Amino acid sequence: MQLVPTKTAEIIGCSVLPGREVVVLASWGSLLRLWKAEVSPDGFCSGWLSVMLEGHAGPVTCCSVSQAGDLVFSGSSDRTARLWNAGDGTLAGSFEGHKADVTCCSISPTGNLAVSGSTDTTLKLWALKRKKTKADRMSFADTKPTTLKGHNGFIKCCCFSHGGDLVVSGALDETLRLWNTVDGTLAKTLESLSGWVVCCAISPTGEFIASGSGVLQLWSVADGTPAKRFIGHTRPITCCVFSPDSQLVVSGSWDYSVNLWKTADGTIIKTLLGHTGMIKCCAFSCGSEFVITGSLDTTLKQWNAAGTKDPADDLEKQPSAESDEVSESSSSESDSDGFELLANGRIVKKK
């Protein structure tokens, strides 16, 4: 499905709401535009432009949609994060405090907290306190954030646990860090086995963290130990997410492919081929029956995740991933943005 009708757009976020409505966000520099599409059992209906979110003074770098679909949280190179009413695109709140570009952001499942990460190596935890306003709009009072310090490199990703009690962040200092949202204290530091951490996700059960770098790594939340390494992509991983029942993980990569994995043993169920650009975002439907992915090729695609092939999709069944090694043919694969993927799955800066 060609949802974004111009090559000048960059899809930077996608989400599936409980009512089978897909929300897609794309940026044109400092403008953020929100598309919606209804999903039927036969696939997507026509997508349409819903609202334009205008207010950032620099390029929009990241975004997050609330679980209810009523709010959008965005970050920009203008060093601010902003909260928007998804219904009409009005600004609900502006959050200042970072000293450099905001690179990642997330809204808690409960909707009372938001977090932003930056190249200033800090995260800021924002309490979302609502103010009285019109019935169909929301506005949020300015609050002093809790600053989470500990990373020694640019922060690339952040997300909340499904209970909202933890924030996980990943950075170019080759660590994942877990933070308590009640008081902002550091709970655990996990040393990456594959270099820079580019993306992260927490399973809905709260048992595992997935992190993407040269390989997809699973971690135990309970003790912070590495649980499994999922080998399959030939270039760095850019996004990952668990299914609602935590049984599956989907990952997207610079190699233009999307892999669907079994959480239990790292088996590749499917490799989803069809994008012609780097994968920027991925999401499961609430019933785990389909996956959506957004790419730098400006398209959003729907993939069948239930085990049967949709004729409209380009799906390739893959054998089980039994080895923890990357083949020689994929060694020294590099992207155009300064990363190099080594034969052992480690991601490092290109020399």
mmCIF file of all heavy atoms in Angstrom, residues 104 106 123 151 155-160 167-171 175-178 190 197-203 208-213 216-217 219 237-242 249-250 282:
data_model
loop_
_atom_site.group_PDB
_atom_site.id
_atom_site.type_symbol
_atom_site.label_atom_id
_atom_site.label_comp_id
_atom_site.label_asym_id
_atom_site.label_seq_id
_atom_site.Cartn_x
_atom_site.Cartn_y
_atom_site.Cartn_z
ATOM 1 N N CYS A 104 14.551 10.407 20.402
ATOM 2 C CA CYS A 104 13.572 9.346 20.643
ATOM 3 C C CYS A 104 12.570 9.832 21.678
ATOM 4 O O CYS A 104 12.863 10.720 22.486
ATOM 5 C CB CYS A 104 14.240 8.046 21.104
ATOM 6 S SG CYS A 104 15.219 8.217 22.612
ATOM 7 N N SER A 106 8.556 8.576 23.826
ATOM 8 C CA SER A 106 7.535 7.560 24.062
ATOM 9 C C SER A 106 6.517 8.071 25.071
ATOM 10 O O SER A 106 6.850 8.864 25.958
ATOM 11 C CB SER A 106 8.183 6.271 24.580
ATOM 12 O OG SER A 106 7.226 5.250 24.782
ATOM 13 N N LEU A 123 17.986 11.508 29.316
ATOM 14 C CA LEU A 123 16.559 11.338 29.084
ATOM 15 C C LEU A 123 15.824 12.270 30.038
ATOM 16 O O LEU A 123 16.314 12.580 31.122
ATOM 17 C CB LEU A 123 16.112 9.895 29.337
ATOM 18 C CG LEU A 123 16.701 8.840 28.411
ATOM 19 C CD1 LEU A 123 17.624 7.941 29.207
ATOM 20 C CD2 LEU A 123 15.614 8.034 27.737
ATOM 21 N N HIS A 151 23.919 7.567 30.677
ATOM 22 C CA HIS A 151 24.510 7.214 29.386
ATOM 23 C C HIS A 151 25.711 8.104 29.082
ATOM 24 O O HIS A 151 25.765 9.271 29.493
ATOM 25 C CB HIS A 151 23.469 7.350 28.274
ATOM 26 C CG HIS A 151 22.513 6.209 28.185
ATOM 27 N ND1 HIS A 151 22.901 4.935 27.822
ATOM 28 C CD2 HIS A 151 21.169 6.158 28.407
ATOM 29 C CE1 HIS A 151 21.839 4.147 27.820
ATOM 30 N NE2 HIS A 151 20.781 4.854 28.183
ATOM 31 N N ILE A 155 21.720 9.063 22.817
ATOM 32 C CA ILE A 155 20.625 8.126 23.069
ATOM 33 C C ILE A 155 19.828 7.937 21.784
ATOM 34 O O ILE A 155 19.454 8.907 21.125
ATOM 35 C CB ILE A 155 19.732 8.635 24.215
ATOM 36 C CG1 ILE A 155 20.549 8.671 25.515
ATOM 37 C CG2 ILE A 155 18.497 7.745 24.378
ATOM 38 C CD1 ILE A 155 19.847 9.320 26.676
ATOM 39 N N LYS A 156 19.583 6.681 21.426
ATOM 40 C CA LYS A 156 18.919 6.353 20.164
ATOM 41 C C LYS A 156 17.503 5.838 20.334
ATOM 42 O O LYS A 156 16.706 5.904 19.391
ATOM 43 C CB LYS A 156 19.743 5.295 19.414
ATOM 44 C CG LYS A 156 21.129 5.749 19.003
ATOM 45 C CD LYS A 156 21.077 6.833 17.948
ATOM 46 C CE LYS A 156 20.595 6.304 16.609
ATOM 47 N NZ LYS A 156 20.612 7.371 15.574
ATOM 48 N N CYS A 157 17.160 5.301 21.502
ATOM 49 C CA CYS A 157 15.832 4.697 21.644
ATOM 50 C C CYS A 157 15.389 4.719 23.104
ATOM 51 O O CYS A 157 16.216 4.731 24.023
ATOM 52 C CB CYS A 157 15.818 3.258 21.115
ATOM 53 S SG CYS A 157 17.052 2.174 21.885
ATOM 54 N N CYS A 158 14.080 4.724 23.309
ATOM 55 C CA CYS A 158 13.520 4.658 24.661
ATOM 56 C C CYS A 158 12.094 4.133 24.574
ATOM 57 O O CYS A 158 11.410 4.350 23.574
ATOM 58 C CB CYS A 158 13.553 6.013 25.361
ATOM 59 S SG CYS A 158 12.674 7.342 24.509
ATOM 60 N N CYS A 159 11.657 3.445 25.605
ATOM 61 C CA CYS A 159 10.293 2.926 25.641
ATOM 62 C C CYS A 159 9.893 2.646 27.079
ATOM 63 O O CYS A 159 10.741 2.485 27.955
ATOM 64 C CB CYS A 159 10.142 1.665 24.787
ATOM 65 S SG CYS A 159 11.116 0.257 25.362
ATOM 66 N N PHE A 160 8.586 2.576 27.320
ATOM 67 C CA PHE A 160 8.047 2.238 28.625
ATOM 68 C C PHE A 160 7.707 0.755 28.697
ATOM 69 O O PHE A 160 7.375 0.126 27.685
ATOM 70 C CB PHE A 160 6.752 3.023 28.884
ATOM 71 C CG PHE A 160 6.952 4.461 29.268
ATOM 72 C CD1 PHE A 160 6.932 5.449 28.299
ATOM 73 C CD2 PHE A 160 7.147 4.827 30.596
ATOM 74 C CE1 PHE A 160 7.101 6.785 28.635
ATOM 75 C CE2 PHE A 160 7.318 6.158 30.947
ATOM 76 C CZ PHE A 160 7.294 7.143 29.971
ATOM 77 N N VAL A 167 11.371 2.557 32.375
ATOM 78 C CA VAL A 167 11.768 3.066 31.064
ATOM 79 C C VAL A 167 13.043 2.334 30.675
ATOM 80 O O VAL A 167 13.943 2.151 31.506
ATOM 81 C CB VAL A 167 12.023 4.586 31.099
ATOM 82 C CG1 VAL A 167 12.788 5.039 29.860
ATOM 83 C CG2 VAL A 167 10.712 5.345 31.189
ATOM 84 N N VAL A 168 13.119 1.896 29.422
ATOM 85 C CA VAL A 168 14.337 1.300 28.879
ATOM 86 C C VAL A 168 14.898 2.252 27.831
ATOM 87 O O VAL A 168 14.153 2.800 27.016
ATOM 88 C CB VAL A 168 14.061 -0.075 28.247
ATOM 89 C CG1 VAL A 168 15.328 -0.627 27.594
ATOM 90 C CG2 VAL A 168 13.560 -1.050 29.289
ATOM 91 N N SER A 169 16.209 2.455 27.866
ATOM 92 C CA SER A 169 16.853 3.321 26.880
ATOM 93 C C SER A 169 18.092 2.635 26.323
ATOM 94 O O SER A 169 18.738 1.836 26.994
ATOM 95 C CB SER A 169 17.235 4.664 27.509
ATOM 96 O OG SER A 169 18.109 4.480 28.613
ATOM 97 N N GLY A 170 18.405 2.947 25.071
ATOM 98 C CA GLY A 170 19.597 2.420 24.419
ATOM 99 C C GLY A 170 20.386 3.548 23.796
ATOM 100 O O GLY A 170 19.813 4.563 23.370
ATOM 101 N N ALA A 171 21.707 3.391 23.727
ATOM 102 C CA ALA A 171 22.546 4.497 23.280
ATOM 103 C C ALA A 171 23.782 4.016 22.538
ATOM 104 O O ALA A 171 24.066 2.809 22.464
ATOM 105 C CB ALA A 171 22.949 5.352 24.479
ATOM 106 N N THR A 175 25.189 0.478 25.633
ATOM 107 C CA THR A 175 24.452 -0.024 26.804
ATOM 108 C C THR A 175 22.961 0.171 26.641
ATOM 109 O O THR A 175 22.495 1.052 25.901
ATOM 110 C CB THR A 175 24.880 0.692 28.109
ATOM 111 O OG1 THR A 175 24.420 2.059 28.078
ATOM 112 C CG2 THR A 175 26.368 0.643 28.318
ATOM 113 N N LEU A 176 22.228 -0.676 27.344
ATOM 114 C CA LEU A 176 20.810 -0.485 27.630
ATOM 115 C C LEU A 176 20.712 -0.135 29.108
ATOM 116 O O LEU A 176 21.443 -0.691 29.932
ATOM 117 C CB LEU A 176 20.017 -1.767 27.375
ATOM 118 C CG LEU A 176 19.630 -2.122 25.944
ATOM 119 C CD1 LEU A 176 19.295 -3.599 25.886
ATOM 120 C CD2 LEU A 176 18.448 -1.302 25.478
ATOM 121 N N ARG A 177 19.818 0.761 29.444
ATOM 122 C CA ARG A 177 19.631 1.114 30.854
ATOM 123 C C ARG A 177 18.149 1.075 31.202
ATOM 124 O O ARG A 177 17.294 1.475 30.412
ATOM 125 C CB ARG A 177 20.236 2.486 31.161
ATOM 126 C CG ARG A 177 21.761 2.464 30.996
ATOM 127 C CD ARG A 177 22.406 3.819 31.198
ATOM 128 N NE ARG A 177 23.805 3.787 30.785
ATOM 129 C CZ ARG A 177 24.846 3.691 31.606
ATOM 130 N NH1 ARG A 177 24.654 3.622 32.914
ATOM 131 N NH2 ARG A 177 26.077 3.653 31.136
ATOM 132 N N LEU A 178 17.869 0.551 32.391
ATOM 133 C CA LEU A 178 16.507 0.467 32.916
ATOM 134 C C LEU A 178 16.367 1.481 34.048
ATOM 135 O O LEU A 178 17.208 1.541 34.954
ATOM 136 C CB LEU A 178 16.204 -0.938 33.444
ATOM 137 C CG LEU A 178 15.860 -2.033 32.433
ATOM 138 C CD1 LEU A 178 17.054 -2.352 31.547
ATOM 139 C CD2 LEU A 178 15.373 -3.289 33.139
ATOM 140 N N LEU A 190 22.747 -2.773 31.178
ATOM 141 C CA LEU A 190 23.015 -3.972 30.395
ATOM 142 C C LEU A 190 24.038 -3.632 29.324
ATOM 143 O O LEU A 190 23.835 -2.702 28.534
ATOM 144 C CB LEU A 190 21.728 -4.495 29.742
ATOM 145 C CG LEU A 190 20.474 -4.565 30.630
ATOM 146 C CD1 LEU A 190 19.295 -5.111 29.832
ATOM 147 C CD2 LEU A 190 20.735 -5.421 31.853
ATOM 148 N N VAL A 197 23.383 0.461 20.475
ATOM 149 C CA VAL A 197 21.985 0.045 20.599
ATOM 150 C C VAL A 197 21.124 1.057 19.860
ATOM 151 O O VAL A 197 21.103 2.245 20.198
ATOM 152 C CB VAL A 197 21.548 -0.049 22.075
ATOM 153 C CG1 VAL A 197 20.087 -0.482 22.159
ATOM 154 C CG2 VAL A 197 22.444 -1.021 22.834
ATOM 155 N N VAL A 198 20.403 0.590 18.839
ATOM 156 C CA VAL A 198 19.648 1.469 17.953
ATOM 157 C C VAL A 198 18.156 1.452 18.258
ATOM 158 O O VAL A 198 17.458 2.443 18.065
ATOM 159 C CB VAL A 198 19.908 1.080 16.482
ATOM 160 C CG1 VAL A 198 19.152 1.984 15.526
ATOM 161 C CG2 VAL A 198 21.401 1.128 16.179
ATOM 162 N N CYS A 199 17.632 0.316 18.736
ATOM 163 C CA CYS A 199 16.200 0.226 19.038
ATOM 164 C C CYS A 199 15.991 -0.724 20.213
ATOM 165 O O CYS A 199 16.846 -1.550 20.527
ATOM 166 C CB CYS A 199 15.405 -0.240 17.819
ATOM 167 S SG CYS A 199 15.895 -1.878 17.185
ATOM 168 N N CYS A 200 14.845 -0.595 20.877
ATOM 169 C CA CYS A 200 14.546 -1.455 22.022
ATOM 170 C C CYS A 200 13.038 -1.584 22.206
ATOM 171 O O CYS A 200 12.264 -0.739 21.741
ATOM 172 C CB CYS A 200 15.185 -0.910 23.305
ATOM 173 S SG CYS A 200 14.673 0.757 23.776
ATOM 174 N N ALA A 201 12.635 -2.654 22.865
ATOM 175 C CA ALA A 201 11.222 -2.899 23.160
ATOM 176 C C ALA A 201 11.135 -3.797 24.383
ATOM 177 O O ALA A 201 12.047 -4.585 24.653
ATOM 178 C CB ALA A 201 10.530 -3.563 21.968
ATOM 179 N N ILE A 202 10.044 -3.687 25.132
ATOM 180 C CA ILE A 202 9.782 -4.546 26.288
ATOM 181 C C ILE A 202 8.573 -5.410 25.981
ATOM 182 O O ILE A 202 7.565 -4.920 25.469
ATOM 183 C CB ILE A 202 9.515 -3.723 27.570
ATOM 184 C CG1 ILE A 202 10.640 -2.734 27.822
ATOM 185 C CG2 ILE A 202 9.360 -4.642 28.772
ATOM 186 C CD1 ILE A 202 10.450 -1.885 29.062
ATOM 187 N N SER A 203 8.661 -6.690 26.298
ATOM 188 C CA SER A 203 7.534 -7.589 26.045
ATOM 189 C C SER A 203 6.352 -7.226 26.942
ATOM 190 O O SER A 203 6.538 -6.776 28.078
ATOM 191 C CB SER A 203 7.937 -9.046 26.287
ATOM 192 O OG SER A 203 8.248 -9.258 27.653
ATOM 193 N N PHE A 208 10.886 -9.927 28.979
ATOM 194 C CA PHE A 208 12.048 -9.727 28.122
ATOM 195 C C PHE A 208 12.155 -8.293 27.608
ATOM 196 O O PHE A 208 11.159 -7.587 27.471
ATOM 197 C CB PHE A 208 11.983 -10.660 26.902
ATOM 198 C CG PHE A 208 12.108 -12.114 27.222
ATOM 199 C CD1 PHE A 208 11.033 -12.969 27.014
ATOM 200 C CD2 PHE A 208 13.285 -12.642 27.723
ATOM 201 C CE1 PHE A 208 11.130 -14.321 27.309
ATOM 202 C CE2 PHE A 208 13.399 -13.995 28.024
ATOM 203 C CZ PHE A 208 12.318 -14.835 27.807
ATOM 204 N N ILE A 209 13.387 -7.916 27.309
ATOM 205 C CA ILE A 209 13.693 -6.716 26.535
ATOM 206 C C ILE A 209 14.335 -7.181 25.235
ATOM 207 O O ILE A 209 15.178 -8.083 25.245
ATOM 208 C CB ILE A 209 14.661 -5.788 27.282
ATOM 209 C CG1 ILE A 209 14.015 -5.240 28.557
ATOM 210 C CG2 ILE A 209 15.117 -4.634 26.385
ATOM 211 C CD1 ILE A 209 15.008 -4.536 29.477
ATOM 212 N N ALA A 210 13.943 -6.586 24.130
ATOM 213 C CA ALA A 210 14.610 -6.817 22.853
ATOM 214 C C ALA A 210 15.390 -5.565 22.498
ATOM 215 O O ALA A 210 14.901 -4.448 22.671
ATOM 216 C CB ALA A 210 13.596 -7.127 21.760
ATOM 217 N N SER A 211 16.615 -5.742 22.029
ATOM 218 C CA SER A 211 17.418 -4.606 21.583
ATOM 219 C C SER A 211 18.008 -4.918 20.221
ATOM 220 O O SER A 211 18.386 -6.052 19.933
ATOM 221 C CB SER A 211 18.532 -4.289 22.583
ATOM 222 O OG SER A 211 19.465 -5.348 22.677
ATOM 223 N N GLY A 212 18.064 -3.899 19.377
ATOM 224 C CA GLY A 212 18.573 -4.068 18.033
ATOM 225 C C GLY A 212 19.870 -3.330 17.832
ATOM 226 O O GLY A 212 20.010 -2.168 18.220
ATOM 227 N N SER A 213 20.823 -4.015 17.226
ATOM 228 C CA SER A 213 22.091 -3.422 16.823
ATOM 229 C C SER A 213 22.539 -4.204 15.595
ATOM 230 O O SER A 213 21.856 -4.182 14.583
ATOM 231 C CB SER A 213 23.114 -3.482 17.967
ATOM 232 O OG SER A 213 23.196 -4.789 18.518
ATOM 233 N N LEU A 216 19.574 -9.014 16.791
ATOM 234 C CA LEU A 216 18.487 -8.808 17.736
ATOM 235 C C LEU A 216 18.815 -9.590 19.003
ATOM 236 O O LEU A 216 19.004 -10.803 18.963
ATOM 237 C CB LEU A 216 17.159 -9.291 17.147
ATOM 238 C CG LEU A 216 15.910 -8.980 17.966
ATOM 239 C CD1 LEU A 216 15.638 -7.482 17.992
ATOM 240 C CD2 LEU A 216 14.699 -9.724 17.394
ATOM 241 N N GLN A 217 18.925 -8.890 20.122
ATOM 242 C CA GLN A 217 19.310 -9.503 21.392
ATOM 243 C C GLN A 217 18.122 -9.477 22.348
ATOM 244 O O GLN A 217 17.460 -8.457 22.489
ATOM 245 C CB GLN A 217 20.470 -8.734 22.019
ATOM 246 C CG GLN A 217 20.915 -9.253 23.364
ATOM 247 C CD GLN A 217 21.657 -10.572 23.263
ATOM 248 O OE1 GLN A 217 22.610 -10.694 22.497
ATOM 249 N NE2 GLN A 217 21.228 -11.565 24.029
ATOM 250 N N TRP A 219 16.918 -9.964 26.358
ATOM 251 C CA TRP A 219 17.451 -9.870 27.707
ATOM 252 C C TRP A 219 16.372 -10.237 28.710
ATOM 253 O O TRP A 219 15.194 -9.982 28.486
ATOM 254 C CB TRP A 219 17.912 -8.446 28.013
ATOM 255 C CG TRP A 219 18.857 -7.841 27.034
ATOM 256 C CD1 TRP A 219 18.545 -7.256 25.840
ATOM 257 C CD2 TRP A 219 20.284 -7.764 27.153
ATOM 258 N NE1 TRP A 219 19.682 -6.807 25.219
ATOM 259 C CE2 TRP A 219 20.763 -7.098 26.000
ATOM 260 C CE3 TRP A 219 21.197 -8.160 28.128
ATOM 261 C CZ2 TRP A 219 22.109 -6.839 25.785
ATOM 262 C CZ3 TRP A 219 22.539 -7.901 27.922
ATOM 263 C CH2 TRP A 219 22.990 -7.259 26.760
ATOM 264 N N ILE A 237 19.912 -3.534 12.644
ATOM 265 C CA ILE A 237 18.472 -3.531 12.927
ATOM 266 C C ILE A 237 18.057 -2.130 13.361
ATOM 267 O O ILE A 237 18.734 -1.481 14.156
ATOM 268 C CB ILE A 237 18.147 -4.573 14.012
ATOM 269 C CG1 ILE A 237 18.441 -5.978 13.466
ATOM 270 C CG2 ILE A 237 16.702 -4.473 14.470
ATOM 271 C CD1 ILE A 237 18.463 -7.053 14.518
ATOM 272 N N THR A 238 16.944 -1.672 12.833
ATOM 273 C CA THR A 238 16.496 -0.296 13.062
ATOM 274 C C THR A 238 15.246 -0.182 13.926
ATOM 275 O O THR A 238 14.985 0.877 14.498
ATOM 276 C CB THR A 238 16.215 0.383 11.719
ATOM 277 O OG1 THR A 238 15.293 -0.424 10.970
ATOM 278 C CG2 THR A 238 17.507 0.548 10.917
ATOM 279 N N CYS A 239 14.452 -1.236 14.012
ATOM 280 C CA CYS A 239 13.232 -1.189 14.818
ATOM 281 C C CYS A 239 12.839 -2.600 15.235
ATOM 282 O O CYS A 239 13.178 -3.577 14.559
ATOM 283 C CB CYS A 239 12.085 -0.519 14.059
ATOM 284 S SG CYS A 239 11.680 -1.285 12.465
ATOM 285 N N CYS A 240 12.147 -2.716 16.366
ATOM 286 C CA CYS A 240 11.686 -4.019 16.837
ATOM 287 C C CYS A 240 10.491 -3.820 17.760
ATOM 288 O O CYS A 240 10.358 -2.777 18.404
ATOM 289 C CB CYS A 240 12.806 -4.783 17.562
ATOM 290 S SG CYS A 240 13.494 -3.942 19.013
ATOM 291 N N VAL A 241 9.638 -4.841 17.810
ATOM 292 C CA VAL A 241 8.468 -4.774 18.684
ATOM 293 C C VAL A 241 7.981 -6.199 18.957
ATOM 294 O O VAL A 241 8.137 -7.090 18.119
ATOM 295 C CB VAL A 241 7.346 -3.920 18.038
ATOM 296 C CG1 VAL A 241 6.766 -4.597 16.802
ATOM 297 C CG2 VAL A 241 6.240 -3.611 19.031
ATOM 298 N N PHE A 242 7.419 -6.409 20.150
ATOM 299 C CA PHE A 242 6.819 -7.696 20.515
ATOM 300 C C PHE A 242 5.348 -7.721 20.109
ATOM 301 O O PHE A 242 4.679 -6.680 20.061
ATOM 302 C CB PHE A 242 6.893 -7.912 22.025
ATOM 303 C CG PHE A 242 8.254 -8.263 22.548
ATOM 304 C CD1 PHE A 242 9.126 -7.278 22.987
ATOM 305 C CD2 PHE A 242 8.672 -9.585 22.627
ATOM 306 C CE1 PHE A 242 10.379 -7.583 23.484
ATOM 307 C CE2 PHE A 242 9.922 -9.914 23.125
ATOM 308 C CZ PHE A 242 10.781 -8.907 23.548
ATOM 309 N N VAL A 249 8.322 -11.685 17.921
ATOM 310 C CA VAL A 249 9.040 -10.417 17.809
ATOM 311 C C VAL A 249 9.194 -10.116 16.328
ATOM 312 O O VAL A 249 9.483 -11.012 15.531
ATOM 313 C CB VAL A 249 10.442 -10.477 18.449
ATOM 314 C CG1 VAL A 249 11.114 -9.103 18.371
ATOM 315 C CG2 VAL A 249 10.382 -10.946 19.886
ATOM 316 N N VAL A 250 8.986 -8.867 15.946
ATOM 317 C CA VAL A 250 9.245 -8.459 14.570
ATOM 318 C C VAL A 250 10.362 -7.427 14.585
ATOM 319 O O VAL A 250 10.458 -6.602 15.498
ATOM 320 C CB VAL A 250 7.979 -7.901 13.884
ATOM 321 C CG1 VAL A 250 7.536 -6.581 14.488
ATOM 322 C CG2 VAL A 250 8.197 -7.747 12.391
ATOM 323 N N CYS A 282 7.747 -0.487 12.875
ATOM 324 C CA CYS A 282 6.970 -1.713 12.747
ATOM 325 C C CYS A 282 5.992 -1.805 13.916
ATOM 326 O O CYS A 282 6.246 -1.256 14.991
ATOM 327 C CB CYS A 282 7.869 -2.949 12.689
ATOM 328 S SG CYS A 282 9.052 -3.102 14.058
#
